[in-house]
Amino acid sequence: MAARSPRPPSRTIIVRIEPDPVQSGGEPASSFLVAILYVIETMAMSATVDVRRVAPAARTTSGGNHVKFSSTRPRAVAVVLALALAATACGSGRSSGSDDGSSSGTPTTAAATSTDFGTLASPCGPASGTNGATDQGVTADSIAVGYGDDAGYQGSPGLNHQISDAMKSMIDWCNEQGGVNGRKVVGHYYDAKITETANVVAEACKQDFMLVGSGWALAAGGETARLGCKLPAVPALVGGSELGMAPLMVTPVPTVIDYNVVQVAAALARAYPEQVKKAAVMVPPLPASVETVEKVENTYPDEGWSFLDQCKQQYALTGEADWKPFVQKLKECGAEVVVFSGGNPNFQNVLDAAAQIEYKPIWLVESNFYDQAFADWNSSGNADNVYLRFAFVPFGQAQPGSATEAYLNLVKAHGGDTSLLGAQAASAFLLWATAAKQCGADLTRDCAMEKLKAIHSWTGGGLHADMDPGGNLPAPCGLVLKMEGTKFIQWDPAKENEFACDPSYLVKVDPPVEAQAALNLGPDRITTKNGTGK
């Protein structure tokens, strides 16, 4: 274990960030999708991971800097935590209505009237010069972009439809202001139905300028086609390292194989210093989940955690007929903290089984569990000891004039549903539009990518933490939610609308040799597995 820098005396710092003018959230949880992913993804990432800490600046024992986000336009922006892992909330069918996972309050349904989006001045508006046809999908008065989801998959009708609900709302919002530099945004919707990603990408290759806010669960299946036609992308959903490190791609909330954010580990270690020394993991044999757990096992020890190798549990992708043997094993081997990777209903069944044998460890999960259906399920209290590593501003904390409120209001005014993935799609659209605006009348793919790569500070107007999309790096920040009855309560930092940030929360990870080889990952941190896009 690497030596740690000495820490200064405990103190809390409230930081207000002034953004530049150009500045401004699980893995699919259902069993059917997990099973399909396992069949299609065959690369197992099980090698030992070497870890070294980057920017080992000492952080305060109170949990680093508490960064406050603001809803006011006068440039008092706060860094809000983003969903950095491939853990993204997976939507259900449209018949279920809005699923925002909010802990309290109900946002108004009136459409946002301001041209600002939280702290971000709108990138949309009339032309400042004379436009012309400059690239595929770009005319004097329009820009064609492709987006989509897997809503047509029969195994789960409406899958991730909140992504497209967000995109439709954002496109209308932008066009009402005149489009981007006077060019109306024309959105082409593609339903990949889980298994047809290559086909929809091939269609986009024929007519679209770029992919923007796309959210296909198996997007990797379209990468060869996308790179073959040199189609740039600013996606909402990145389902693993194959896309997280892809060429011709910039994401608003980077999901990468070679970094991990450890704020939640530090927060739990401060509160439960003895318990985290007896930690265990539960994981399905899914490459993306295995990759995530490996990063946890190899970065959390520097925060005071110890993992009990004999306690590690691997469960079937589609669930188990009896979960009691699994939780009994965890109880007998002394695990006091359990990191669970997966989704519901598996986790709900695990919690019920644990309650039956009176096993009450601390449970740590990803933000894909930020789901009101899960909160409603907890009327029994079996999930009261569950902590979530969170990403976006909790919807229940949306303040007047904030980007979160703008997102919720816009989508609901258009009759759509909201989710963390939807918020991420909104951020993707804003990021793309910001770069496209900077290109002016001479909008080309090369210019858009150049401008995107130059953006190293991005919050989506306050939707999430200050990411580095151009450098493909997540934010060194964190927020932890805790289940209490049927509500998600902010647990760390204790004060709502604040997030703990510290440079040392962002940890460099050396990916497994097998992963690097499979991805053809170069020194530029870009994979060439599916092509270069050149």
Side-chain angles (χ1 to χ4, degrees), residues 198-261:
N199 294 337
V200 300
V201 171
E203 287 299 310
C205 281
K206 298 175 184 178
Q207 61 181 341
D208 291 320
F209 174 61
M210 293 179 67
L211 295 177
V212 179
S214 53
W216 302 303
L218 299 184
E223 276 298 274
T224 299
R226 183 182 73 84
L227 294 174
C229 74
K230 302 178 182 179
L231 180 64
V234 185
L237 173 61
V238 177
S241 55
E242 188 168 337
L243 260 64
M245 317 298 284
L248 278 183
M249 183 178 291
V250 174
T251 62
V253 182
T255 299
V256 297
I257 192 175
D258 56 346
Y259 282 87
N260 197 32
V261 180

Side-chain angles (χ1 to χ4, degrees), residues 1 31 72 88 123 125 154 179 229 250 333 371 387 408 428 436-437 443 468 479 501 524:
M1 185 179 300
S31 296
T72 57
T88 44
Q154 293 303 307
C229 74
V250 174
C333 71
D371 176 75
Y387 295 79
L408 295 173
K437 177 184 178 181
L443 178 61
D468 180 358
L479 163 66
C501 297
D524 57 1

Side-chain angles (χ1 to χ4, degrees), residues 89-105:
C90 186
S92 59
R94 292 181 184 273
S95 60
S96 65
S98 178
D99 177 17
D100 59 18
S102 60
S103 59
S104 62

Side-chain angles (χ1 to χ4, degrees), residues 438-454:
Q438 294 175 22
C439 292
D442 299 322
L443 178 61
T444 64
R445 289 173 171 175
D446 286 344
C447 177
M449 286 302 298
E450 178 185 350
K451 300 301 183 183
L452 285 165
K453 290 287 188 180

Side-chain angles (χ1 to χ4, degrees), residues 111-112 124-125 169-179 184 410 414:
C124 304
S169 301
M170 296 303 296
I171 289 172
D172 286 350
W173 171 79
C174 186
N175 286 340
E176 288 171 359
Q177 301 171 54
K184 293 296 181 72
L410 279 170
H414 282 75

Side-chain angles (χ1 to χ4, degrees), residues 56-380:
R59 60 175 179 264
T60 67
T61 55
S62 61
N65 298 336
H66 289 184
V67 181
K68 189 174 185 179
F69 64 84
S70 170
S71 63
T72 57
R73 180 68 185 95
R75 299 268 160 72
V77 72
V79 179
V80 186
L81 178 67
L83 185 64
L85 199 59
T88 44
C90 186
S92 59
R94 292 181 184 273
S95 60
S96 65
S98 178
D99 177 17
D100 59 18
S102 60
S103 59
S104 62
T106 302
T108 61
T109 57
T113 57
S114 172
T115 56
D116 296 339
F117 201 91
T119 60
L120 175 68
S122 176
C124 304
S128 57
T130 302
N131 292 332
T134 53
D135 209 328
Q136 175 176 299
V138 181
T139 70
D141 54 15
S142 67
I143 310 170
V145 299
Y147 66 95
D149 52 40
D150 296 299
Y153 180 67
Q154 293 303 307
S156 181
L159 180 63
N160 289 343
H161 70 271
Q162 296 93 337
I163 291 174
S164 296
D165 286 354
M167 282 298 298
K168 294 171 186 175
S169 301
M170 296 303 296
I171 289 172
D172 286 350
W173 171 79
C174 186
N175 286 340
E176 288 171 359
Q177 301 171 54
V180 178
N181 287 321
R183 293 182 172 108
K184 293 296 181 72
V185 181
V186 177
H188 293 143
Y189 170 73
Y190 303 101
D191 180 0
K193 305 174 184 177
I194 287 290
T195 60
E196 299 178 15
T197 308
N199 294 337
V200 300
V201 171
E203 287 299 310
C205 281
K206 298 175 184 178
Q207 61 181 341
D208 291 320
F209 174 61
M210 293 179 67
L211 295 177
V212 179
S214 53
W216 302 303
L218 299 184
E223 276 298 274
T224 299
R226 183 182 73 84
L227 294 174
C229 74
K230 302 178 182 179
L231 180 64
V234 185
L237 173 61
V238 177
S241 55
E242 188 168 337
L243 260 64
M245 317 298 284
L248 278 183
M249 183 178 291
V250 174
T251 62
V253 182
T255 299
V256 297
I257 192 175
D258 56 346
Y259 282 87
N260 197 32
V261 180
V262 298
Q263 181 273 334
V264 65
L268 287 172
R270 288 192 300 271
Y272 306 107
E274 296 305 315
Q275 290 91 329
V276 299
K277 295 177 182 177
K278 300 177 181 178
V281 299
M282 289 190 71
V283 60
L286 175 68
S289 293
V290 172
E291 176 185 316
T292 296
V293 167
E294 281 183 348
K295 291 198 292 186
V296 165
E297 290 177 311
N298 289 279
T299 55
Y300 285 18
D302 272 355
E303 304 304 320
W305 290 51
S306 296
F307 287 89
L308 305 171
D309 292 337
Q310 72 275 17
C311 287
K312 189 171 186 176
Q313 301 285 293
Q314 186 176 90
Y315 63 87
L317 290 159
T318 54
E320 299 285 346
D322 185 3
W323 290 94
K324 284 195 290 294
F326 291 83
V327 293
Q328 186 66 46
K329 171 66 174 178
L330 291 168
K331 183 178 182 179
E332 291 176 353
C333 71
E336 297 185 21
V337 179
V338 181
V339 179
F340 182 90
S341 179
N344 284 319
N346 285 342
F347 188 49
Q348 292 171 342
N349 294 332
V350 168
L351 293 172
D352 284 342
Q356 291 171 17
I357 65 169
E358 298 184 346
Y359 176 50
K360 299 179 181 180
I362 295 164
W363 299 93
L364 175 60
V365 297
E366 294 294 337
S367 52
N368 57 304
F369 287 93
Y370 183 67
D371 176 75
Q372 193 58 45
F374 179 45
D376 293 341
W377 170 87
N378 193 41
S379 58
S380 65

